[in-house]
Amino acid sequence: MVKRFLGVEISFQFYYFALLTIVLIFDKSGGIFCCFLSSFFHEIGHLLAILVLKQKVDRIEFSLFDIKIKSNYYVSFSKELIITLSGVAFNFILFLFFIRTIRIFALANLFIGIFNLLPVSTLDGGQAINIILNKFISEEKSVIILNILTVIFAIPIFTLGIIVLFNTGYNFSFLLLGVYLFLTPIYNRKAISRGNYD
């Protein structure tokens, strides 16, 4: 389903809301839902930076694994780095603001912020590395480096997920993260292209 709002195309995929529904049904602690909410605010951080820097947004996509903001307009090296890392910065601000009141939401923001800093192809950390690497090497070599880093970080998180699920019997959050990291290079090979903010 695609809608337009203030000149921005907004795309909603069924899978995103199906996954959210599954989380709401099976998430006993509420932690995963708070991570979903923190991810939404993470994208608000990107949007705020885009607006402050007077850039334009073409499309916002709610897909299976994430929310993407697409902007096909040229921005300078420094502005692109600021926009790329603004989601993480907003998560850290929310962590500091809510740590004394809504602790689970604050910790979810801290987790989402740190997680997005990982040097993984579709995460902000990977995209920031891609922006920097493209100043020195080709896009093709940058993709190879990021795919290697993605696998390196996916293996221990996936392994931890199996251990946590086995010990708790219900906490599958780290296992989902491990699967997500393994699938991201396959699921969206274009995600590291410039102008995409996750």
Side-chain angles (χ1 to χ4, degrees):
M1 180 174 65
V2 177
K3 298 289 183 183
R4 291 195 75 83
F5 180 72
L6 297 176
V8 178
E9 194 174 89
I10 302 175
S11 169
F12 299 94
Q13 287 188 9
F14 165 78
Y15 304 109
Y16 178 83
F17 296 103
L19 184 60
L20 179 58
T21 302
I22 291 168
V23 166
L24 287 172
I25 292 170
F26 293 104
D27 180 25
K28 297 178 181 179
S29 66
I32 300 176
F33 174 72
C34 282
C35 286
F36 260 87
L37 195 58
S38 300
S39 296
F40 178 79
F41 281 107
H42 177 93
E43 300 308 321
I44 297 294
H46 288 306
L47 279 174
L48 287 173
I50 289 169
L51 293 174
V52 167
L53 295 173
K54 297 181 180 178
Q55 303 301 309
K56 294 182 180 179
V57 175
D58 288 322
R59 182 178 174 91
I60 300 173
E61 294 180 359
F62 291 79
S63 59
L64 176 60
F65 290 120
D66 53 20
I67 304 169
K68 286 189 191 66
I69 300 170
K70 296 193 172 186
S71 176
N72 293 322
Y73 301 93
Y74 173 78
V75 292
S76 67
F77 174 80
S78 58
K79 283 184 178 180
E80 187 157 24
L81 268 181
I82 290 168
I83 293 170
T84 298
L85 297 174
S86 60
V88 169
F90 197 56
N91 284 131
F92 291 156
I93 289 168
L94 290 174
F95 164 72
L96 294 172
F97 189 79
F98 286 103
I99 189 61
R100 294 183 181 275
T101 54
I102 310 174
R103 189 172 176 82
I104 189 169
F105 179 64
L107 293 175
N109 273 283
L110 178 64
F111 173 76
I112 292 297
I114 293 171
F115 179 72
N116 272 280
L117 282 177
L118 292 177
V120 172
S121 58
T122 56
L123 300 178
D124 294 344
Q127 291 177 355
I129 288 172
N130 184 55
I131 293 166
I132 295 167
L133 286 176
N134 283 338
K135 298 284 280 185
F136 306 102
I137 62 175
S138 69
E139 179 76 23
E140 187 177 283
K141 289 180 181 176
S142 176
V143 168
I144 292 169
I145 291 170
L146 286 173
N147 284 339
I148 292 169
L149 287 172
T150 298
V151 172
I152 288 171
F153 278 87
I155 290 170
I157 291 174
F158 184 80
T159 305
L160 178 63
I162 292 172
I163 294 168
V164 169
L165 181 62
F166 180 77
N167 286 330
T168 64
Y170 68 88
N171 190 338
F172 54 89
S173 54
F174 280 100
L175 187 60
L176 278 178
L177 289 177
V179 171
Y180 169 79
L181 292 180
F182 275 121
L183 292 178
T184 49
I186 301 166
Y187 170 71
N188 195 351
R189 294 176 185 177
K190 295 181 180 178
I192 60 169
S193 62
R194 304 189 62 167
N196 288 335
Y197 307 104
D198 293 325

